[in-house]
Amino acid sequence: MKKILVASLLATLMGGTAMAQQIGVSVARFDDNGLTVMRNGMTAHEETLDGVSLQIEDATDDVAKQLDQINNFIASGVDAIIVNAVDTNATEAMSNAAAAAGVPMVYVNRQPINMDSLPDGQAFVASNEIESGTLKAFEICKNLRAEGKSGGATAYLMMGQLSNQAAVQRTKDVEDVIGMDMCNFITIIDKQTAEWSRDKASDLMTNWLSSGEPFDAVFANNDEMAIGAINAMKAAGMSMDEVQVGGVDATADALQAMQAGDLDVTVFQDLAGQGAGSIDTALKLIAGEEVDKTVFIPFKLVTPDNIDEFVN
């Protein structure tokens, strides 16, 4: 009887081990505020799941390092891989490596360049970037019209990393909106990349300010760059009542800037929801369930009028 009980216990333990799901996660960079929210969403969701273990690695904005991480995940026998791509132009090699090894893969937040040809067992979880830049740009357009500037207004446009699909799409969104009859009174003076960085955005805005060119708005592809632009303008003694500034992500710092009257528009990207959704999608792929290639988490416009809905 004792032998039977021991054997039964061993079988139970072995069965539990076999059921544990190991998921490797490669995040483009840990020192990005928005991606930190996404990563925290992953770890918080992991704590609610039995038998799921995440191994999260920082790719430090290095494509080669990220590819090595993916290959190491495959070699270690993970059940699935989640990737927040450093360079969305490099995702085809990642997809091919995972597909060849039969390991499910989920891209999160940043759309892979091979989206239209993702192999079976792979999916993309994010928010529809056409909404993000469009919501922000249209709100700034409305605000400028309300300020009586429909006869002509000028703006600067700060872009994220040009290798990133979100930066490309958010920039296009702004350009599409100001191409509309209602908003074509806005002229973009200049557009440059500040690589999603607050510090680089501050430097870029300082350079723009040195030209002495008057402007009415700043469109930034994310909140970090919007805050960097705000910091530079305030350091130069500029009143934030004189300019419309918009970003994307609705990070905690951005909401504080809006409460202070510095930031006019942002767009809530449910980054924590994307992180949790990527895990759920990975688990479905591991189980062999059918999953849509694209899983969208909606964006939401944030302004001083509805900020209370997002502060907590």
Side-chain angles (χ1 to χ4, degrees):
M1 176 63 71
K2 186 175 181 180
K3 289 182 180 179
I4 293 173
L5 289 173
V6 171
S8 176
L9 177 61
L10 287 173
T12 300
L13 290 172
M14 290 176 67
T17 302
M19 291 178 65
Q21 308 295 347
Q22 301 288 328
I23 302 176
V25 183
S26 176
V27 176
R29 48 190 287 195
F30 277 13
D31 64 352
D32 178 282
N33 283 354
L35 296 182
T36 298
V37 173
M38 182 193 75
R39 183 159 46 92
N40 289 342
M42 290 180 176
T43 55
H45 192 49
E46 175 191 14
E47 292 174 1
T48 70
L49 301 171
D50 291 330
V52 176
S53 177
L54 301 182
Q55 180 183 341
I56 306 179
E57 302 286 347
D58 183 1
T60 65
D61 253 351
D62 185 325
V63 176
K65 183 174 182 179
Q66 186 161 62
L67 285 168
D68 285 343
Q69 289 171 349
I70 290 167
N71 287 326
N72 289 338
F73 287 148
I74 293 170
S76 67
V78 297
D79 297 289
I81 298 171
I82 297 173
V83 179
N84 168 246
V86 170
D87 183 347
T88 52
N89 289 314
T91 54
E92 191 164 5
M94 302 175 192
S95 289
N96 291 342
V103 179
M105 175 174 280
V106 177
Y107 292 99
V108 62
N109 183 256
R110 299 180 175 181
Q111 182 174 317
I113 193 171
N114 56 319
M115 186 66 229
D116 293 338
S117 59
L118 283 182
D120 291 339
Q122 298 188 14
F124 171 53
V125 176
S127 299
N128 189 344
E129 293 296 351
I130 293 175
E131 297 175 4
S132 61
T134 301
L135 288 169
K136 171 189 65 186
F138 192 66
E139 185 67 15
I140 289 178
C141 166
K142 289 197 302 180
N143 290 347
L144 290 173
R145 290 183 70 90
E147 292 174 357
K149 296 182 178 180
S150 59
T154 55
Y156 286 114
L157 174 54
M158 289 187 169
M159 301 180 289
Q161 291 165 312
L162 301 183
S163 62
N164 190 289
Q165 183 273 341
V168 174
Q169 185 61 55
R170 291 177 190 180
T171 298
K172 183 178 183 299
D173 295 341
V174 173
E175 293 171 337
D176 286 348
V177 168
I178 65 175
M180 298 166 53
D181 288 344
M182 180 180 175
C183 302
N184 63 9
F185 64 91
I186 303 171
T187 300
I188 300 295
I189 302 170
D190 192 15
K191 63 178 182 180
Q192 291 189 41
T193 180
E195 300 182 5
W196 306 119
S197 165
R198 185 181 303 196
D199 290 341
K200 290 181 180 179
S202 181
D203 291 342
L204 176 57
M205 178 51 68
T206 298
N207 289 338
W208 280 336
L209 289 168
S210 68
S211 72
E213 182 85 20
F215 60 97
D216 304 286
V218 177
F219 298 96
N221 280 173
N222 77 338
D223 286 337
E224 283 295 284
M225 293 188 294
I227 292 170
I230 289 168
N231 290 344
M233 287 185 279
K234 292 175 73 172
M238 188 172 177
S239 170
M240 297 314 298
D241 293 335
E242 300 173 6
V243 60
Q244 288 284 320
V245 182
V248 175
D249 285 337
T251 63
D253 287 352
L255 296 178
Q256 288 179 2
M258 184 173 287
Q259 289 176 312
D262 297 333
L263 183 69
D264 299 281
V265 182
T266 186
V267 182
F268 176 65
Q269 179 174 199
D270 190 356
L271 292 164
Q274 290 180 13
S278 68
I279 294 173
D280 289 338
T281 302
L283 292 173
K284 288 178 181 178
L285 291 173
I286 291 170
E289 296 179 28
E290 189 157 335
V291 172
D292 289 338
K293 288 292 184 185
T294 304
V295 180
F296 279 145
I297 312 293
F299 279 107
K300 298 178 183 178
L301 182 69
V302 185
T303 70
D305 291 336
N306 68 348
I307 189 173
D308 290 344
E309 299 174 25
F310 301 90
V311 168
N312 295 321

